[in-house]
Amino acid sequence: MKRSGPLFTLLAGLLLALFMLSLNVTEGARSTSTGSESSGDVVSASPTPTASPPSGKPSASPSPSKTAVPNADYAGRTDDDSSAVAVTLRDGKAVAYFCDGKNQESWLKGDVKADGSMRLTGQNGNVLTGELKGKRISGTVDMGQRKYGFTADKAVKPSGLYRATATVRGAEVDGGWIVLPSGQQVGILNRAGEPSPAPRIDPETGAVTVDGQQLTAEPVTP
């Protein structure tokens, strides 16, 4: 009996050692699992990459705006010096007057393109075709029976285009005047549809006397 006591003591110690080893292994496995879960919690998702524009396709640039034709008045003579032409431009519109100062005249109107070209039309199929370059309009006036080339330079007041309409002594009166940069005036006065050379106007005020009645010729705009 004395010999079995140490044997039982050794066996009990061995069992305890095995139990402690098993316990350490179990705790280590739990720690490893817990560490993995913790590290998974702190990992942040990588930001979604920002979409970049497709390569090889440059961004569209705004188209250049067209330059508007400036508002101005122009006056000049035909190439054969027989008549005068005046053109007034306002906001892309134009009105023109062709006049020989005797009995032939035409009022014309139309649009002006961004490049300065224009085609103005009047009664009886009359057509003015012109182009603005710098401070000058050059072109032709087709009066049906004849076509006139002309050049009209930029005019400074009081040069320009004037018109007066009224009833004088029971007759309808309609007058048109071109005041050239030189100061010369070319115009026609219609009395009840009968044309004749127009009397001179005061270019500073537009005052004109027709058959004893004073009228005022106003600058013409489209």
Side-chain angles (χ1 to χ4, degrees), residues 8-9 17 21 23 31 48 73 75 83 92 107 109 115 138 154 173 181 185 197 204-205 222:
F8 282 115
T9 301
L21 178 62
L23 182 63
S31 299
T48 302
D73 303 321
S83 307
W107 291 95
K109 61 183 179 179
D115 62 1
S138 300
K154 188 173 182 179
V173 174
Q185 296 185 17
E204 298 295 337
T205 63

Side-chain angles (χ1 to χ4, degrees), residues 31-113:
S31 299
T32 303
S33 175
T34 303
S36 298
E37 292 176 357
S38 300
S39 61
D41 292 338
V42 300
V43 173
S44 59
S46 59
T48 302
T50 304
S52 59
S55 60
K57 294 182 179 181
S59 58
S61 58
S63 57
S65 59
K66 296 182 179 179
T67 304
V69 175
N71 296 339
D73 303 321
Y74 300 84
R77 299 193 66 89
T78 56
D79 296 345
D80 62 2
D81 203 35
S82 66
S83 307
V85 178
V87 184
T88 298
L89 308 182
R90 295 291 186 277
D91 301 325
K93 302 288 185 180
V95 60
Y97 183 52
F98 168 89
C99 174
D100 67 357
K102 301 174 183 177
N103 55 19
Q104 189 178 33
E105 65 174 353
S106 181
W107 291 95
L108 311 103
K109 61 183 179 179
D111 297 328
V112 183
K113 295 182 179 179

